[in-house]
């Protein structure tokens, strides 16, 4: 596998479920990001991890819980989501700042 | 006012035409400017990266930055059906935090 991978690619969950999204980067980068992409809206930055430490939490509701066990892996734990949380969730990584490389995303549908 | 404004289109052009895309922004601290291409059901892919003002060319793609006008452009020459995608502009000040436009959807008709 090369680049940034994400699993699962598609996820359908009920409002009471708990699920997790996984991201793995194979680029040797030290920063990882979670974004939310909704139709016709700009990408919204959710969380940033730099050397496994969270450096940004962009006022994200607590029903989204990130985890970064090492610089190659990033998780997004989901619980009691709302239908408006349905979106494409993108993971990205970078080495020292601005050039970010994205994974293919997880298409999340909350029923 | 949004920090980055991008016309969502859609934009439809015949094969071989020049595609012209642009974004305006309000934050004068932005120094790094990027264009990403996103195919349907895929993540964004970095196309062009420019620091400060000026032009950058890569094959059929040319990126222009005019910081005095807070305006950036992407031109695609000799467009191909494979260029059909959504194009996102992104920009940043001195750090990792990117501000994105909403994206312009482009269709190149064969």
């Amino acid at each position: 596998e090369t680049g940034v991978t994400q699993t699962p690619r598609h996820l359908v969950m009920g409002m009471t479920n708990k699920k997790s999204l996984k991201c793995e980067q194979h680029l040797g980068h030290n920063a990882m990001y979670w974004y939310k992409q909704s139709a016709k809206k700009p990408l919204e930055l959710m969380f940033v991890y730099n050397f496994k430490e969270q450096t940004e939490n962009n006022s994200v509701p607590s029903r989204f819980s990130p985890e970064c066990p090492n610089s190659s892996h990033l998780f997004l734990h989901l619980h009691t989501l709302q239908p408006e949380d349905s979106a494409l969730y993108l993971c990205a990584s970078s080495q020292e700042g601005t050039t970010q490389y994205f994974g293919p995303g997880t298409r999340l549908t909350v029923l | 006012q949004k920090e980055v404004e991008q016309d969502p289109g859609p934009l439809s052009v015949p094969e071989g035409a020049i595609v012209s895309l642009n974004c305006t922004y309000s934050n004068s601290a932005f120094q790094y400017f990027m264009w990403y291409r996103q195919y349907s059901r895929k993540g964004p892919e970095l196309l062009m990266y420019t620091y400060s003002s000026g032009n950058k060319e890569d094959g059929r793609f040319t990126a222009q930055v005019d910081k005095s006008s807070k305006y950036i452009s992407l031109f695609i020459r000799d467009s191909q059906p494979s260029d059909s995608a959504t194009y996102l502009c992104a920009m940043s000040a001195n750090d990792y935090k990117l501000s994105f436009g909403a994206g312009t959807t482009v269709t190149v008709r064969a």
Side-chain angles (χ1 to χ4, degrees), chain A residues 46-96:
Chain A
M46 300 175 72
F47 301 103
V48 181
Y49 278 82
N50 214 336
F51 290 104
K52 303 188 300 177
E53 299 297 320
Q54 189 180 123
T55 56
E56 181 92 14
N57 177 337
N58 211 19
S59 304
V60 180
S62 60
R63 57 185 184 269
F64 295 92
S65 175
E67 179 190 359
C68 187
N70 55 62
S71 57
S72 298
H73 293 85
L74 186 63
F75 295 88
L76 189 62
H77 304 298
L78 315 171
H79 64 98
T80 59
L81 294 192
Q82 304 298 310
E84 60 264 30
D85 296 322
S86 298
L88 182 68
Y89 287 85
L90 290 160
C91 174
S93 71
S94 73
Q95 181 68 21
E96 296 177 355

Side-chain angles (χ1 to χ4, degrees), chain B residues 12-45:
Chain B
S12 180
V13 300
E15 185 174 357
I18 295 175
V19 176
S20 174
L21 304 167
N22 58 76
C23 290
T24 58
Y25 62 94
S26 57
N27 188 345
S28 57
F30 288 149
Q31 297 188 74
Y32 302 92
F33 303 91
M34 285 137 276
W35 286 95
Y36 284 85
R37 176 176 62 195
Q38 186 173 21
Y39 290 116
S40 181
R41 305 183 194 284
K42 297 282 181 71
E45 167 196 13

Side-chain angles (χ1 to χ4, degrees), chain B residues 54-84:
Chain B
N55 293 0
K56 185 173 184 178
E57 191 172 315
D58 184 1
R60 296 183 296 112
F61 298 89
T62 299
Q64 292 183 348
V65 175
D66 182 350
K67 289 187 69 181
S68 62
S69 302
K70 297 191 181 68
Y71 186 90
I72 70 170
S73 303
L74 178 71
F75 299 96
I76 308 174
R77 291 185 300 281
D78 187 26
S79 57
Q80 306 295 311
S82 58
D83 295 325
S84 298

Side-chain angles (χ1 to χ4, degrees), chain A residues 9-10 33 35 37 40-43 45 48 50 55-56 58 88 90 94 97-105 107, chain B residues 2 4 8 32 34 36 38 41-46 49 88 92-103 105:
Chain A
R9 295 293 309 277
H10 301 273
Y33 312 76
Y35 286 89
Q37 187 176 34
K40 307 298 182 187
K41 288 185 177 181
L43 269 72
L45 178 65
V48 181
N50 214 336
T55 56
E56 181 92 14
N58 211 19
L88 182 68
L90 290 160
S94 73
T98 53
T99 308
Q100 295 179 18
Y101 295 86
F102 285 83
R107 175 70 60 187
Chain B
K2 292 179 187 174
V4 180
Y32 302 92
M34 285 137 276
Y36 284 85
Q38 186 173 21
R41 305 183 194 284
K42 297 282 181 71
E45 167 196 13
L46 182 66
Y49 176 89
L88 308 170
S92 173
N94 252 340
D95 59 15
Y96 54 83
K97 198 168 179 179
L98 294 182
S99 295
F100 283 86
T105 300

